[in-house]
């Protein structure tokens, strides 16, 4: 015969196990939406092998947590009778939750490079090589624009990559503002990513640029100052370009960058 303590412990353990199971299933539901796009209850139930009632229960919890949001399903062609089924899509908050898993993997990979493949210099070399490859996708769009419009062209190219970038007039130059950074959590630990990005901006725009603020450092916006005119920087390969000390924002520059002109 179980004593009172054991009898009380069993329901608690069962409740905890049930909560873990619910979280796991909700993660599966959210992951299915991430992988397949906005989905109906019927589609999710079929993919996950769950009843529609169970899917609805988990969707209600995900909606309450601002992980997914319901939308009216678009109907193409002739509309059938009845109300169109709702589709559920990930919110920005929901996407961020998945991004953090990849952030953890990226930080672990860079830590391994730092510890086993050459220290901070190896991390900087990786960051420069990564950014150089990414910049090749921007080069044609930037170089096709006249010099006075290249900041805007770079902003459009960055926005297409998820950086929500804009360019605005500043005293004697322009400011390139990135309102979102997909690698902010990683760059917080490894600022070499920001430094490499600044160097790439300089090469793409053909002029010296100055990083005023970064999301990774706690600022609201990544802000880069692009002065008017000035000689272009030396054209060196990504592998041989040293990490720019000026890419790290100074304390006064960071303060100025929090309220870009």
């Amino acid at each position: 015969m179980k004593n009172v303590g054991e009898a009380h412990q069993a329901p608690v353990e069962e409740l905890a196990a049930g909560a873990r199971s619910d979280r796991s299933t909700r993660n599966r539901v959210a992951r299915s939406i991430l992988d397949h796009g906005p989905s109906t209850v019927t589609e999710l139930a079929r993919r996950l092998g769950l009843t529609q009632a169970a899917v609805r229960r988990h969707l209600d919890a995900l909606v309450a947590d601002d992980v997914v949001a319901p939308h009216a399903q678009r109907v193409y062609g002739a509309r059938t009778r009845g109300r169109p089924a709702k589709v559920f899509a990930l919110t920005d908050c929901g996407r961020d939750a998945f991004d953090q898993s990849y952030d953890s993997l990226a930080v672990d990979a860079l830590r391994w490079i730092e510890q086993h493949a050459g220290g901070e210099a190896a991390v900087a070399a990786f960051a420069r090589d990564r950014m150089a490859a990414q910049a090749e996708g921007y080069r044609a769009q930037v170089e096709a624009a006249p010099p006075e419009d290249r900041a805007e062209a770079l902003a459009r190219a960055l926005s297409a990559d998820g950086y929500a970038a804009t360019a605005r007039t500043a005293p004697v130059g322009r400011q390139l503002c990135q309102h979102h950074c997909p690698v902010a959590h990683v760059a917080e630990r490894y600022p070499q990513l920001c430094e490499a990005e600044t160097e790439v901006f300089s090469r793409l725009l053909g002029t010296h640029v100055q990083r005023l603020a970064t999301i990774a450092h706690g600022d609201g916006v990544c802000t880069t100052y692009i002065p008017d005119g000035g000689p272009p920087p030396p054209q060196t390969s990504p592998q041989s370009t040293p990490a720019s000390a000026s890419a790290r924002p100074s304390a006064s520059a960071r303060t100025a960058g929090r309220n870009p002109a």
Side-chain angles (χ1 to χ4, degrees):
M1 179 176 175
K2 293 182 178 179
N3 60 35
V4 174
E6 290 174 338
H8 176 72
Q9 184 179 8
V12 171
E13 291 177 346
E14 290 171 4
L15 287 171
R20 287 193 297 271
S21 177
D22 280 349
R23 284 196 299 270
S24 175
T25 304
R26 284 171 197 165
N27 287 338
R28 289 176 60 212
V29 171
R31 181 76 206 196
S32 183
I33 295 172
L34 177 71
D35 291 341
H36 297 275
S39 305
T40 65
V41 170
T42 301
E43 291 167 341
L44 288 165
R46 184 179 65 251
R47 285 200 298 261
L48 299 172
L50 298 171
T51 65
Q52 293 189 25
V55 169
R56 287 193 184 93
R57 181 169 64 84
H58 291 300
L59 285 172
D60 286 345
L62 291 169
V63 169
D65 290 341
D66 193 30
V67 175
V68 304
H71 301 277
Q73 186 177 33
R74 290 185 178 181
V75 177
Y76 300 94
R79 184 184 293 273
T80 59
R81 289 185 178 181
R83 185 176 298 175
K86 286 183 180 179
V87 294
F88 292 82
L90 286 180
T91 62
D92 289 341
C93 178
R95 289 188 179 278
D96 286 346
F98 284 102
D99 288 343
Q100 289 172 4
S101 298
Y102 294 113
D103 288 347
S104 178
L105 175 63
V107 168
D108 288 345
L110 288 174
R111 184 183 298 114
W112 190 95
I113 291 173
E114 183 178 31
Q115 293 175 350
H116 302 284
E120 291 186 2
V123 174
F126 166 82
R128 289 194 296 271
D129 186 70
R130 175 186 178 276
M131 280 307 307
Q134 189 172 333
E136 286 307 306
Y138 308 154
R139 187 175 303 282
Q141 187 171 347
V142 173
E143 292 182 350
E148 65 272 16
D149 294 335
R150 288 186 175 177
E152 287 78 2
L154 179 55
R156 288 192 296 271
L158 287 165
S159 292
D161 256 359
Y163 288 86
T166 58
R168 63 181 69 181
T169 302
V172 201
R174 305 284 286 163
Q175 278 189 355
L176 179 69
C177 299
Q178 296 157 262
H179 302 273
H180 177 64
C181 177
V183 297
H185 297 295
V186 184
E188 183 179 354
R189 172 65 180 82
Y190 290 101
Q192 293 94 328
L193 295 173
C194 299
E195 294 166 3
E197 183 180 71
T198 305
E199 293 168 5
V200 160
F201 289 172
S202 179
R203 287 196 294 273
L204 284 172
L205 297 170
T207 185
H208 168 75
V209 302
Q210 183 181 7
R211 182 59 61 89
L212 301 179
T214 64
I215 293 172
H217 193 82
D219 301 297
V221 179
C222 292
T223 308
T224 305
Y225 174 64
I226 306 164
D228 287 334
Q235 297 297 311
T236 54
S237 66
Q239 290 78 8
S240 61
T241 304
S244 171
S246 64
R248 294 178 184 266
S250 65
S252 59
R254 288 195 301 268
T255 302
R258 288 193 178 95
N259 295 296

